[in-house]
Amino acid sequence: MKWATLILQAIAALGVAYGAAATEQIGDATKGEKVFSKCKSCHQVGAGAEDRIGPHLNGIYGRRAAAHEGFNYSASMERAGADGLIWTVETLDAYIENPRALVSKTRMSFRGITDPEDRANVLA
């Protein structure tokens, strides 16, 4: 069990490193702040971010779905995480485009962001 935990931590660390580099290339973070206003009622990000209706999004890149401790995820999100869903630029892009297409029966009531440029900017 200890080895499995260490392996997952190493994978997450690699994902965070990759995620930080990838976000510099995928969109305009300044424009993404405006797009993120659609998400603010449920999620926070940045220094001092806390869980709200949805979990805070700090450190999401490279993290397994439903792995943020202390947050009460839907059964569907927990199942997706148990099945190996890792939050990467690609998986987050798909989720933000249409949350229910990636994780059916998610409690997230957000309809999605259809514009690819807006998604790239918010992911940056």
Side-chain angles (χ1 to χ4, degrees), residues 21-62:
T23 58
E24 294 173 7
Q25 300 172 15
I26 62 167
D28 183 325
T30 302
K31 290 179 182 177
E33 287 181 39
K34 293 176 186 170
V35 178
F36 188 75
S37 66
K38 298 175 183 183
C39 312
K40 282 182 171 180
S41 62
C42 298
H43 297 283
Q44 291 185 353
V45 66
E50 297 180 1
D51 295 334
R52 302 181 94 186
I53 293 170
H56 74 71
L57 301 176
N58 291 347
I60 193 158
Y61 288 107

Side-chain angles (χ1 to χ4, degrees), residues 61-85:
Y61 288 107
R63 187 167 68 205
R64 183 178 47 83
H68 172 61
E69 288 193 33
F71 188 80
N72 185 22
Y73 290 96
S74 66
S76 296
M77 188 62 74
E78 287 180 2
R79 187 172 33 260
D83 288 345
L85 178 60

